[in-house]
Amino acid sequence: MCEKQAHSFLPEYSQWGHSFSHLSEVDEERIYMDYNATTPMDSEVAEAVTVAIREAWANPSSSYLPGVKARDIINQARESVSRMVGGKPEDIIFTSGGTEANNLVLHTAVKHFWQSRETEEREGLNSSQQNGRAILPHLVISNVEHDSIRLTAEHLQKEGRAGVTSVAVSKVTGRVEVEDVVAAIRPTTCLVSVMTANNETGIIMPIKEICQRVRAVNKQRPLPRILVHTDAAQAIGKIRVDACDMGVDYLTIVGHKFYGPRVGALYVNGPGTTSPLYPIFFGGGQERNFRPGTENTQMIAGLGKAAELVNTHLSEYETHLSDIRCYLEERLLAAFGADKIRFNSHFPGSDNLPNTCNVSILGPRLVGRRVLATCRRLLASVGAACHSGQVDRPSRILLSCGVPYDAASNALRLSVGRSTSREDVDIVVEDLKETTEVLERMN
């Protein structure tokens, strides 16, 4: 169970959070606890976007003053985002969001494999066939990745453009184990992609240790070297994320997960030099030709401000989130008892995000979607928001982590935010208590 931590709720978020958590009088104080799905835009971020809309409307590629101002805003944002993830400004490529960034990495890895093989073949060091069979680039991912990784890898495999190994997370620790990743590596492996933290369980993956082992493997094998990517969408703004300390080649950044706008960025360790990067779009040469298209200055300005807030306040955010999450778990245990509650985000020996509580209220009538549909106040989800239409299936993530089927069916993902208060928690727990009593009385 969580250790108690000092409550350090920031006053500037209280006013903003109150207006968001309590949507209207008619809605009976609906309390939002789905911050892993998306976060509201911070008021300072919204102001930065508004100023950019008003004052930085010109094309950033223009040489006249309004264009120069737009370009300066983009450069400032690049600096703030790079500091947030421990990189350099030139390591940041702005994208439309996390899905694009993830696709860019996987397609880059496959193309880099073939570029390297062609170089070796010209030098007589390699062949495109082995024992009469065509060689394919090989990707290693975990079986709990976001669909923008999983489905992209499956698409490349279906088209015959890559082989894919999906490494199962441990049912004991809930995380992908380093030894299992290393065991999945083949002579043709060109990429390992493992998320920094899972969006449903909150479990933090051993990315630094994976990178260390992959580097050791790379020293003992010919080109192409194995590249390492992590999707840090769920971790940024909640825990410290340092790409250089981790040792990754690529790291995905998603603005709307840390109170920014719905744009993203990709950290690349020395794009085009230390780490390869090949565009999937072609056009006017923006973002050094890695991601052409006229820059979305206003949203990039918002992303930069959101990153600036993380750079300034991360320790306060983390402490507050942990305090509220721990209080939520304590109140749930007190309300329902240990026999009726299962915390699906608790795994021995593993760390998890400070804001994420995945919990099942046990009982045959308490399927998660039914509970949420009956709640009068709680706004939450049973898992990833992009799977909300799969009404009859428990989360594949929870099942992969060893959560029993019935418990997975009853799961609720409660993810708290910067503005969530203990009073909000009390309202939510009371709402869940009343809801379960109603459902258990039904025939």
Side-chain angles (χ1 to χ4, degrees):
M1 189 48 61
C2 300
E3 295 181 3
K4 298 230 182 206
Q5 299 193 38
H7 185 72
S8 64
F9 184 49
L10 299 177
E12 59 264 36
Y13 296 107
S14 180
Q15 182 177 357
W16 173 255
H18 182 82
S19 63
F20 183 73
S21 295
H22 303 74
L23 296 179
S24 73
E25 293 295 325
V26 175
D27 285 333
E28 282 194 282
E29 298 185 341
R30 302 302 294 269
I31 307 298
Y32 184 75
M33 284 194 180
D34 204 16
Y35 288 91
N36 283 6
T38 197
T39 56
M41 195 180 293
D42 186 278
S43 56
E44 292 187 50
V45 173
E47 177 62 19
V49 172
T50 302
V51 170
I53 289 172
R54 187 171 58 246
E55 300 179 7
W57 47 267
N59 192 314
S61 298
S62 302
S63 58
Y64 39 75
L65 188 59
V68 171
K69 181 164 188 174
R71 188 161 61 250
D72 287 345
I73 286 175
I74 292 172
N75 290 338
Q76 182 179 349
R78 201 184 306 277
E79 166 68 27
S80 295
V81 172
S82 69
R83 281 198 298 118
M84 181 178 67
V85 296
K88 302 181 292 294
E90 56 267 29
D91 295 333
I92 301 300
I93 309 296
F94 291 117
T95 67
S96 63
T99 293
E100 182 191 333
N102 288 343
N103 273 261
L104 185 55
V105 170
L106 268 67
H107 284 87
T108 283
V110 169
K111 185 164 185 176
H112 182 62
F113 173 88
W114 289 120
Q115 297 275 32
S116 300
R117 298 289 297 194
E118 287 171 7
T119 300
E120 291 183 344
E121 283 183 33
R122 283 196 301 269
E123 297 173 356
L125 300 175
N126 234 319
S127 169
S128 60
Q129 292 201 342
Q130 194 172 52
N131 299 325
R133 300 177 63 184
I135 291 172
L136 287 178
H138 176 242
L139 311 174
V140 176
I141 65 174
S142 82
N143 69 339
V144 295
E145 294 300 308
H146 187 271
D147 277 355
S148 57
I149 292 290
R150 182 176 67 90
L151 295 181
T152 303
E154 289 179 3
H155 177 74
L156 290 167
Q157 185 173 42
K158 185 177 180 180
E159 287 195 335
R161 296 169 57 194
V164 179
T165 297
S166 181
V167 177
V169 295
S170 166
K171 289 180 168 54
V172 176
T173 64
R175 67 183 186 184
V176 62
E177 297 297 342
V178 179
E179 294 299 331
D180 293 336
V181 172
V182 174
I185 292 174
R186 303 176 187 172
T188 57
T189 301
C190 59
L191 179 72
V192 171
S193 180
V194 176
M195 60 182 16
T196 308
N198 186 262
N199 55 314
E200 295 191 27
T201 64
I203 293 297
I204 298 170
M205 304 296 176
I207 304 301
K208 184 174 181 177
E209 292 79 5
I210 290 172
C211 288
Q212 290 171 342
R213 293 295 298 278
V214 170
R215 277 198 299 271
V217 171
N218 278 332
K219 290 179 180 177
Q220 301 171 4
R221 58 179 257 161
L223 294 175
R225 72 183 174 92
I226 303 166
L227 304 164
V228 182
H229 165 249
T230 189
D231 181 346
Q234 287 297 337
I236 290 174
K238 302 167 188 171
I239 59 174
R240 176 176 172 266
V241 173
D242 189 322
C244 289
D245 182 60
M246 288 178 178
V248 294
D249 296 284
Y250 311 98
L251 183 143
T252 295
I253 300 159
V254 181
H256 74 96
K257 302 294 188 180
F258 57 99
Y259 294 77
R262 286 184 182 151
V263 292
L266 179 67
Y267 160 89
V268 185
N269 179 23
T273 54
T274 305
S275 301
L277 189 65
Y278 299 103
I280 54 178
F281 298 149
F282 300 89
Q286 294 86 354
E287 293 298 285
R288 289 157 286 162
N289 272 320
F290 295 123
R291 203 287 185 183
T294 303
E295 298 93 340
N296 190 348
T297 306
Q298 292 78 16
M299 296 300 105
I300 290 172
L303 185 68
K305 175 54 74 171
E308 185 183 315
L309 292 173
V310 171
N311 293 334
T312 304
H313 298 296
L314 178 61
S315 61
E316 294 100 313
Y317 295 161
E318 187 172 2
T319 300
H320 172 71
L321 294 173
S322 181
D323 174 72
I324 296 299
R325 197 276 314 275
C326 290
Y327 181 69
L328 171 62
E329 293 181 349
E330 291 166 3
R331 291 286 291 110
L332 286 167
L333 269 177
F336 292 98
D339 293 339
K340 202 174 178 65
I341 283 286
R342 186 186 198 281
F343 289 113
N344 306 314
S345 44
H346 289 185
F347 289 87
S350 293
D351 295 325
N352 60 350
L353 294 174
N355 80 315
T356 305
C357 170
N358 194 304
V359 62
S360 297
I361 305 172
L362 304 178
R365 303 182 188 277
L366 304 180
V367 172
R369 286 184 176 85
R370 185 180 301 167
V371 170
L372 291 177
T374 310
C375 282
R376 292 187 298 115
R377 301 174 184 177
L378 173 62
L379 298 174
S381 67
V382 297
C386 47
H387 299 152
S388 58
Q390 300 175 3
V391 294
D392 297 323
R393 296 165 57 188
S395 162
R396 68 174 179 86
I397 302 296
L398 296 183
L399 295 177
S400 296
C401 293
V403 176
Y405 190 95
D406 288 347
S409 296
N410 287 22
L412 308 172
R413 182 185 68 176
L414 308 179
S415 48
V416 302
R418 297 174 191 172
S419 64
T420 311
S421 67
R422 290 186 171 218
E423 292 73 21
D424 291 335
V425 169
D426 291 337
I427 292 171
V428 162
V429 172
E430 182 62 27
D431 189 23
L432 286 170
K433 187 71 174 172
E434 292 174 359
T435 296
T436 56
E437 290 172 356
V438 169
L439 290 175
E440 287 177 329
R441 286 198 301 267
M442 293 174 63
N443 292 327

